[in-house]
Amino acid sequence: VAERGPGAAYHMFVLMEDLLDKLKLLSYEEEALRRHNMRPLSRCPLPAPRCPGRGGGVEGPGKGGGLARQAHYFALPTNPGEQFFMFCTLAAWLITKAGRPFEQPQEYDDPNAIISNVLSELRSFGRPVDFPPSKLKAGYGEQACYVLDCLAEEALKYTGFSWKRPAYPTEELEEEEITEDHAELTLNKVEEDVAEEESDNEENFIDLSVLKAQTYRSDMNDSAKQEEILQSTIDAAEWNLEVERVLPQLKVTVRTDNKDWRIHVDQMHQHKDGIESSLKETRGYLDKLHNEISRTLEKINSREKYINNQLEHLVQEYRSAQALLSEAKEKYQEGSGGVTERIRVLSEITEVLERVKQETEEKGSSMTDGAPLVKIKQALTKLKQETIQMDIQIGVIEHTLLQSKLKEKSDMTTDMHATMISEGTVGAY
């Protein structure tokens, strides 16, 4: 930039200004932007680059850079993806406008291929390209403005446009300034004035019935004086002056009603034309997409056939392995049925064995348990004690019985001796 001079920083903005004028001459808003539903490129004053001593670069959005970014679309970076798509769209439209068929790029197309096609078309026009194609990938910059400007010039040449000297209109002095405020007359106003002609006395009031009557009388007078109108005596300048003076008062505006069926019919025709135009463009995209899908399907089918031919022996091995696997599964199912039955019998035997083990453990625990023996010993000891007590009681009872028997015997002996004495005594007497 330093070698090219201090004004090189503004060169891209100058190119953008020229490009915008050329695009407007080619009606790019109606033919290109509306078809793709894009915003037009606006115009505003050039941004002032910062001095190198103040940090360099371009002023940011906070100091006026935002307006410049919006206006000089291809001169400053705002949104690289959107700018690149706008660049490709305008380039394709300009090439088509220049008489060369060029397919409209889509969002999924390869950007390198699009740039290569655009540069090849630019070289075919005889324009030099002394920069790498990667400069156009960002969608902005001096190179992008240069490419679009060259294509716009070629499109203007093809359409036969030529620059002419400006023709300035002659200015005429206005003798009387006519204010048009509240001077416009509508049909609704006319109807209201006719309905209320007796009460309405405004200065600009026009009675249509009176005008019709005056017109009829003037026509009658004119027909009666046909010979007098063969030569007019009125000055044309005065007539034009009078027409210009009363022209604002004679305006009649028909206000359109949204409920009118004619408006709906016009809207239907407009929508029909828009649908047909969109359908033509969309049909091309759909045909292109259909062709790409068909080619892709053909490639997939051919690749599938190739893979099937290459892997035929592996497929046969896989099928044989599948057959062996099915046989092994059948055998496994048969074996698993017998195993299930044996598992059931084993579970029953295990239950019986558990019961026997439990009974054996109970008997073993009862046989090895010393508690019953202790109880028996305690019972024997108690029995011995009770036996001793019984023996003592028996001895006491026997002794008591013996004493009673001895006492009874002594008593009997005493009684016998007493009886014998008494008998001897008696016998002595």
Side-chain angles (χ1 to χ4, degrees):
V1 176
E3 294 178 356
R4 294 169 58 187
Y10 293 94
H11 184 61
M12 67 178 72
F13 300 105
V14 176
L15 281 177
M16 185 63 199
E17 289 291 330
D18 295 340
L19 172 63
L20 191 58
D21 292 334
K22 293 170 185 176
L23 290 176
K24 286 184 176 294
L25 291 174
L26 292 169
S27 303
Y28 81 108
E29 295 179 353
E30 292 79 8
E31 298 183 12
L33 298 185
R34 288 185 182 177
R35 180 179 298 178
H36 299 281
N37 195 15
M38 295 179 176
R39 293 180 300 175
L41 306 178
S42 59
R43 186 196 302 270
C44 78
L46 294 176
R50 291 181 181 175
C51 297
R54 298 182 180 178
V58 181
E59 289 285 327
K63 297 184 179 180
L67 292 175
R69 288 169 184 266
Q70 184 180 2
H72 302 283
Y73 192 78
F74 295 109
L76 296 173
T78 54
N79 187 352
E82 180 184 349
Q83 286 175 302
F84 181 73
F85 183 71
M86 176 73 83
F87 168 78
C88 296
T89 302
L90 289 178
W93 176 72
L94 290 172
I95 292 171
T96 306
K97 196 78 174 175
R100 302 288 182 86
F102 194 85
E103 189 175 0
Q104 187 66 33
Q106 302 298 324
E107 294 183 1
Y108 52 82
D109 291 343
D110 186 12
N112 295 322
I114 297 174
I115 293 172
S116 176
N117 294 333
V118 170
L119 292 179
S120 63
E121 292 290 340
L122 187 63
R123 292 189 185 96
S124 65
F125 287 122
R127 298 283 183 164
V129 179
D130 55 354
F131 54 87
S134 60
K135 293 287 186 180
L136 300 177
K137 260 190 178 179
Y140 65 89
E142 186 177 355
Q143 291 78 13
C145 296
Y146 168 75
V147 171
L148 292 178
D149 186 66
C150 293
L151 293 176
E153 288 182 359
E154 296 297 331
L156 289 173
K157 289 179 183 178
Y158 184 78
T159 54
F161 177 81
S162 60
W163 298 99
K164 299 178 181 179
R165 296 182 64 84
Y168 300 101
T170 58
E171 298 182 358
E172 297 180 358
L173 297 176
E174 296 182 359
E175 295 181 359
E176 183 179 358
E177 184 178 357
I178 301 174
T179 58
E180 298 182 1
D181 295 340
H182 305 289
E184 185 176 352
L185 187 65
T186 60
L187 289 182
N188 295 332
K189 181 69 177 177
V190 171
E191 293 176 359
E192 292 175 2
D193 292 340
V194 171
E196 301 176 359
E197 63 181 4
E198 294 180 358
S199 59
D200 192 359
N201 294 322
E202 296 180 357
E203 295 180 357
N204 295 327
F205 175 73
I206 297 176
D207 193 351
L208 294 180
S209 61
V210 175
L211 289 176
K212 290 180 180 178
Q214 291 178 357
T215 305
Y216 178 73
R217 287 195 299 271
S218 63
D219 292 340
M220 294 296 294
N221 294 331
D222 292 340
S223 61
K225 301 178 180 179
Q226 293 181 358
E227 295 181 356
E228 297 180 0
I229 65 172
L230 294 177
Q231 184 176 0
S232 177
T233 59
I234 300 174
D235 190 6
E238 294 180 359
W239 176 266
N240 292 330
L241 214 70
E242 182 67 19
V243 169
E244 290 180 359
R245 188 180 68 82
V246 299
L247 183 61
Q249 301 179 8
L250 299 178
K251 286 183 179 179
V252 177
T253 303
V254 179
R255 293 181 180 176
T256 59
D257 188 5
N258 293 329
K259 296 182 180 179
D260 192 3
W261 63 271
R262 296 178 182 84
I263 297 175
H264 294 292
V265 171
D266 294 338
Q267 291 179 354
M268 290 170 63
H269 286 299
Q270 292 176 1
H271 293 322
K272 180 183 177 183
D273 295 337
I275 290 171
E276 290 178 353
S277 61
S278 301
L279 181 60
K280 290 179 182 178
E281 183 179 0
T282 307
R283 185 174 294 171
Y285 298 152
L286 293 177
D287 293 338
K288 179 181 176 182
L289 184 61
H290 177 265
N291 294 331
E292 290 181 357
I293 293 174
S294 301
R295 288 195 299 269
T296 306
L297 290 176
E298 291 177 358
K299 290 180 181 178
I300 291 172
N301 291 329
S302 61
R303 181 64 62 181
E304 185 178 359
K305 291 179 181 178
Y306 173 75
I307 291 173
N308 290 332
N309 294 329
Q310 292 293 326
L311 303 178
E312 185 66 29
H313 63 284
L314 296 177
V315 172
Q316 295 294 334
E317 293 179 0
Y318 176 74
R319 289 175 181 173
S320 60
Q322 285 289 108
L324 295 175
L325 179 61
S326 61
E327 293 178 0
K329 284 184 177 179
E330 291 178 358
K331 293 180 180 180
Y332 171 75
Q333 289 178 357
E334 293 177 359
S336 62
V339 170
T340 304
E341 181 66 23
R342 288 173 176 78
I343 288 172
R344 186 182 62 79
V345 175
L346 178 62
S347 62
E348 293 178 356
I349 295 172
T350 304
E351 290 179 359
V352 174
L353 182 61
E354 289 293 331
R355 288 199 299 271
V356 172
K357 282 184 178 180
Q358 187 176 0
E359 292 176 358
T360 305
E361 288 179 357
E362 290 178 356
K363 289 182 180 180
S365 62
S366 62
M367 291 175 65
T368 57
D369 191 8
L373 184 60
V374 172
K375 291 180 180 179
I376 292 171
K377 289 181 179 180
Q378 290 176 356
L380 289 175
T381 304
K382 190 175 181 179
L383 286 174
K384 287 180 180 180
Q385 291 177 357
E386 291 179 356
T387 302
I388 292 171
Q389 290 177 0
M390 290 293 292
D391 290 339
I392 292 172
Q393 290 178 359
I394 290 170
V396 171
I397 291 171
E398 286 180 352
H399 179 71
T400 304
L401 182 60
L402 181 59
Q403 288 293 332
S404 63
K405 284 182 177 181
L406 290 175
K407 186 177 180 182
E408 184 180 358
K409 187 175 180 180
S410 63
D411 290 338
M412 287 178 65
T413 303
T414 304
D415 289 339
M416 286 177 66
H417 285 294
T419 302
M420 287 177 66
I421 292 171
S422 61
E423 285 179 359
T425 303
V426 172
Y429 293 116

